[in-house]
Every structure is written in structure tokens, then in C-alpha cells.
Amino acid sequence: MEELKLVRPAREHIGQLREFQREIREAGDADAFAGCSGLECYEDIGEWLQYVYRQEEGAEQGKVPSHVYLAIRQSDGRMVGIIDLRHHIDHPVLGVWGGHMGYSVRPDERGKGYAREMLRLNLENCRRRGMEKVMVTCSRDNLASERTILGCGGVFEKEVQVDGEWIKRYWITVA
């Protein structure tokens, strides 16, 4: 796996964000937009960027403050994924099954260890924010995500059922 850096999304990334969005849609996996802060709902990526920036400053109605990061491969500048960081989970969905972060790797970059590296780098962001423990979740059937979480120190807490789907909850000690 090549080295990654997490960066704040910017206008210079619009083309790569469009490609990412198209590839995820073509893959047909509804859960593949996890951690993308609603990217699937925007045709205008510039509008999505404005939404993401507003979320950094303070949550809109029904949301919590969060940061979104693009995972950029350093060797060629390619965006391989997106990960978010929710500042807290004092929220009816996030506190039960959403957790502090979600992440997505573009389909042709999966299976290369990028998700684990993205999660590891985002845990550094958690440390800088003074967070001591974070909840990360995955679908019971998502073995790749489960391996990612376990590989970053996740400790299984329990499963919860949401709309007929079983979600596994894990806690990672940050400090």
C-alpha cells in the first residue's frame, strides 16, 4: 500500500470527487457512500463543498459538527477514498449505530489496505481534537470493514438491529 494523506476537500478536487461519485454509483452499493457526508445527494460538487464547510463550523438542523477528509495517495495525487469525523455522537442515529466516523474507498482501490490507513490517520485527527474514545460501526456482513476496525484497535461492544439490518458497534481508544 502506498502512503496516504488526509486533506480537507477543496475546489481543486472537484474532478476527482465527480469521478469518485460516478464510480460508487456504477458499483451499485448503497452503503458505499458511508462517510461521504451526503455526496450521493449532490449533482453540484461545489454545493457539496459549501455544505461540508458549514458542517465544520456548526451542525445544520438534525446534524452534528463534522469534518470530511479526502484520502489522497501521495505518489500520484489520486483520491482513493473519503472519511469523515463527527465531533460527537450525541444524536439519536449516531449514538446508536452511526458512530464517530464513516469511510468509503473507491471500488478499484479496495482490498489494498487504504481503509485501514484512512482510519488510522483519522484517529490522529481524533487525538488532536482531544477525543479519548470513538465508536466505529459496520454492517454484520461487511467483513472487510470489520477487519479494518479490528486492525485499528476496535473492541466489539454489541450488535444493534436497524431497519432489519444488524450493525456491529466497536470502540477504539484514541489516547
Side-chain angles (χ1 to χ4, degrees), residues 89-124:
I89 57 172
D90 184 18
H91 181 276
V93 170
L94 300 177
V96 174
W97 64 271
H100 284 93
M101 60 185 87
Y103 46 86
S104 180
V105 175
R106 59 190 322 156
D108 67 341
E109 298 289 355
R110 293 181 184 158
K112 299 178 182 177
Y114 289 131
R116 184 180 296 189
E117 181 63 4
M118 289 164 53
L119 181 53
R120 187 192 71 74
L121 290 169
N122 213 20
L123 290 170
E124 294 294 327

Coordinates of all heavy atoms in Angstrom, one line a residue, residues 89-124:
I89 N -21.2 12.1 19.2 CA -22.3 11.3 18.7 C -23.6 11.4 19.6 O -24.4 10.5 19.7 CB -21.9 9.8 18.6 CG1 -21.4 9.2 19.9 CG2 -20.9 9.6 17.4 CD1 -21.1 7.7 19.8
D90 N -23.7 12.6 20.2 CA -24.9 12.9 21.0 C -26.1 13.2 20.0 O -26.4 14.4 19.7 CB -24.6 14.1 21.9 CG -25.8 14.4 22.8 OD1 -26.7 13.6 23.0 OD2 -25.9 15.6 23.3
H91 N -26.6 12.1 19.4 CA -27.5 12.2 18.3 C -28.3 10.9 18.3 O -27.7 9.8 18.5 CB -26.7 12.5 17.0 CG -27.6 12.6 15.8 ND1 -28.0 11.5 15.1 CD2 -28.1 13.7 15.1 CE1 -28.7 11.9 14.0 NE2 -28.8 13.2 14.1
P92 N -29.6 10.9 18.0 CA -30.3 9.6 18.0 C -29.8 8.5 17.1 O -30.0 7.3 17.4 CB -31.7 10.0 17.7 CG -31.7 11.5 17.3 CD -30.4 12.0 17.7
V93 N -29.3 8.9 15.9 CA -28.8 7.9 15.0 C -27.3 7.5 15.3 O -26.9 6.4 15.4 CB -29.0 8.3 13.5 CG1 -28.2 7.4 12.6 CG2 -30.5 8.4 13.2
L94 N -26.5 8.6 15.4 CA -25.1 8.4 15.5 C -24.7 7.7 16.8 O -23.8 6.8 16.9 CB -24.3 9.7 15.5 CG -24.5 10.5 14.2 CD1 -23.8 11.8 14.3 CD2 -24.0 9.7 13.0
G95 N -25.5 8.0 17.9 CA -25.2 7.3 19.2 C -25.6 5.9 19.3 O -25.1 5.1 20.1
V96 N -26.5 5.4 18.4 CA -26.9 4.1 18.4 C -26.1 3.2 17.3 O -25.6 2.2 17.7 CB -28.5 4.0 18.0 CG1 -28.9 2.5 17.9 CG2 -29.3 4.6 19.1
W97 N -26.0 3.7 16.1 CA -25.4 2.9 15.1 C -24.5 3.7 14.1 O -23.7 3.1 13.4 CB -26.4 2.1 14.3 CG -27.4 2.9 13.5 CD1 -28.6 3.3 13.9 CD2 -27.3 3.2 12.2 NE1 -29.2 4.0 12.9 CE2 -28.4 3.9 11.8 CE3 -26.3 3.0 11.2 CZ2 -28.6 4.5 10.6 CZ3 -26.5 3.6 9.9 CH2 -27.7 4.3 9.6
G98 N -24.5 5.0 14.1 CA -23.7 5.7 13.1 C -22.3 5.9 13.5 O -21.4 5.8 12.6
G99 N -22.0 6.2 14.7 CA -20.7 6.3 15.2 C -20.0 7.6 14.9 O -20.6 8.6 14.3
H100 N -18.7 7.7 15.3 CA -17.9 8.9 15.1 C -17.4 9.1 13.7 O -17.0 10.2 13.3 CB -16.7 8.9 16.0 CG -17.1 9.3 17.4 ND1 -17.4 8.3 18.4 CD2 -17.2 10.4 18.1 CE1 -17.7 8.9 19.5 NE2 -17.6 10.2 19.4
M101 N -17.3 8.1 12.9 CA -16.8 8.2 11.5 C -17.3 7.1 10.6 O -17.8 6.1 11.1 CB -15.3 8.2 11.5 CG -14.6 7.0 12.1 SD -12.8 7.3 12.2 CE -12.6 8.0 13.8
G102 N -17.3 7.4 9.4 CA -17.6 6.5 8.3 C -16.6 6.7 7.2 O -15.9 7.8 7.1
Y103 N -16.4 5.7 6.4 CA -15.4 5.8 5.3 C -15.8 5.0 4.1 O -16.6 4.1 4.2 CB -14.0 5.4 5.8 CG -14.1 4.1 6.6 CD1 -14.0 2.9 5.9 CD2 -14.2 4.1 7.9 CE1 -14.0 1.7 6.6 CE2 -14.2 2.9 8.6 CZ -14.1 1.7 8.0 OH -14.2 0.5 8.6
S104 N -15.3 5.5 3.0 CA -15.5 4.8 1.7 C -14.3 4.8 0.9 O -13.6 5.9 0.8 CB -16.7 5.5 1.0 OG -16.9 4.8 -0.2
V105 N -14.0 3.7 0.2 CA -12.8 3.6 -0.7 C -13.4 3.4 -2.1 O -14.3 2.6 -2.2 CB -11.9 2.5 -0.3 CG1 -10.8 2.3 -1.3 CG2 -11.3 2.7 1.1
R106 N -12.8 4.0 -3.1 CA -13.4 3.9 -4.4 C -13.2 2.4 -4.9 O -12.2 1.7 -4.4 CB -12.8 4.9 -5.4 CG -11.3 4.8 -5.5 CD -10.7 6.0 -6.3 NE -11.4 6.5 -7.5 CZ -11.3 7.7 -8.0 NH1 -10.5 8.6 -7.5 NH2 -12.0 8.0 -9.1
P107 N -14.1 1.9 -5.6 CA -14.2 0.5 -5.9 C -12.9 -0.1 -6.5 O -12.5 -1.2 -6.0 CB -15.3 0.4 -7.0 CG -16.2 1.5 -6.6 CD -15.3 2.6 -6.2
D108 N -12.2 0.5 -7.3 CA -11.0 0.0 -7.9 C -9.7 0.1 -7.0 O -8.7 -0.4 -7.4 CB -10.7 0.6 -9.3 CG -10.3 2.0 -9.3 OD1 -10.6 2.7 -8.2 OD2 -9.7 2.5 -10.2
E109 N -9.9 0.6 -5.8 CA -8.8 0.8 -4.9 C -9.0 -0.1 -3.6 O -8.3 -0.1 -2.7 CB -8.6 2.2 -4.5 CG -8.2 3.1 -5.6 CD -6.8 2.9 -6.1 OE1 -6.0 2.1 -5.6 OE2 -6.4 3.5 -7.1
R110 N -10.1 -0.9 -3.6 CA -10.4 -1.7 -2.4 C -9.5 -2.9 -2.3 O -8.9 -3.3 -3.3 CB -11.9 -2.1 -2.5 CG -12.8 -0.9 -2.3 CD -14.3 -1.3 -2.4 NE -15.1 -0.1 -2.3 CZ -16.3 -0.1 -2.7 NH1 -16.9 -1.1 -3.2 NH2 -17.0 1.1 -2.6
G111 N -9.3 -3.4 -1.1 CA -8.5 -4.5 -0.9 C -7.0 -4.3 -0.9 O -6.2 -5.2 -0.9
K112 N -6.7 -3.0 -0.8 CA -5.2 -2.6 -0.8 C -4.8 -2.1 0.6 O -3.6 -1.6 0.7 CB -5.0 -1.6 -1.9 CG -5.3 -2.1 -3.3 CD -5.1 -1.0 -4.3 CE -5.5 -1.5 -5.7 NZ -5.4 -0.5 -6.7
G113 N -5.7 -2.1 1.6 CA -5.3 -1.6 2.9 C -5.5 -0.1 3.1 O -5.2 0.5 4.1
Y114 N -6.2 0.6 2.1 CA -6.4 2.0 2.2 C -7.4 2.4 3.3 O -7.2 3.4 4.0 CB -6.8 2.6 0.9 CG -5.7 2.7 -0.1 CD1 -5.9 2.2 -1.4 CD2 -4.5 3.2 0.2 CE1 -4.9 2.2 -2.4 CE2 -3.5 3.2 -0.8 CZ -3.7 2.7 -2.0 OH -2.7 2.8 -3.0
A115 N -8.4 1.6 3.5 CA -9.4 1.9 4.5 C -8.8 1.9 5.9 O -9.0 2.8 6.7 CB -10.6 0.9 4.5
R116 N -7.9 0.9 6.2 CA -7.3 0.8 7.5 C -6.3 2.0 7.7 O -6.3 2.6 8.8 CB -6.4 -0.5 7.6 CG -5.8 -0.6 9.0 CD -5.0 -1.8 9.2 NE -5.9 -3.0 9.1 CZ -5.5 -4.2 9.3 NH1 -4.3 -4.5 9.7 NH2 -6.3 -5.2 9.2
E117 N -5.6 2.4 6.6 CA -4.7 3.6 6.8 C -5.6 4.9 6.9 O -5.2 5.8 7.7 CB -3.8 3.7 5.5 CG -2.9 4.9 5.6 CD -1.9 4.8 6.7 OE1 -1.8 3.9 7.5 OE2 -1.1 5.8 6.9
M118 N -6.7 5.0 6.2 CA -7.6 6.2 6.4 C -8.1 6.2 7.8 O -8.0 7.3 8.5 CB -8.7 6.1 5.4 CG -8.4 6.3 4.0 SD -9.6 5.8 2.8 CE -11.1 6.6 3.4
L119 N -8.5 5.1 8.4 CA -9.0 5.1 9.8 C -7.9 5.4 10.7 O -8.0 6.2 11.6 CB -9.6 3.7 10.1 CG -10.2 3.5 11.5 CD1 -11.2 4.6 11.8 CD2 -10.8 2.2 11.6
R120 N -6.7 4.9 10.5 CA -5.5 5.2 11.4 C -5.2 6.7 11.4 O -5.0 7.3 12.4 CB -4.3 4.4 11.0 CG -3.1 4.5 11.9 CD -1.8 3.9 11.3 NE -1.3 4.7 10.2 CZ -0.7 5.9 10.4 NH1 -0.5 6.4 11.6 NH2 -0.2 6.5 9.3
L121 N -5.2 7.3 10.2 CA -4.9 8.7 10.1 C -6.0 9.5 10.7 O -5.7 10.6 11.3 CB -4.7 9.1 8.6 CG -3.5 8.6 7.9 CD1 -3.5 8.8 6.4 CD2 -2.2 9.2 8.5
N122 N -7.2 9.1 10.6 CA -8.3 9.9 11.2 C -8.3 9.8 12.7 O -8.7 10.7 13.4 CB -9.7 9.4 10.6 CG -10.7 10.5 10.6 OD1 -10.3 11.7 10.6 ND2 -11.9 10.2 10.5
L123 N -7.8 8.6 13.2 CA -7.6 8.6 14.7 C -6.6 9.6 15.2 O -6.7 10.1 16.3 CB -7.2 7.1 15.1 CG -8.3 6.1 14.9 CD1 -7.7 4.7 15.1 CD2 -9.4 6.3 15.9
E124 N -5.6 10.0 14.3 CA -4.7 11.1 14.7 C -5.5 12.4 14.8 O -5.3 13.2 15.7 CB -3.6 11.2 13.7 CG -2.7 10.0 13.6 CD -1.8 9.9 14.9 OE1 -1.5 10.9 15.5 OE2 -1.5 8.7 15.3

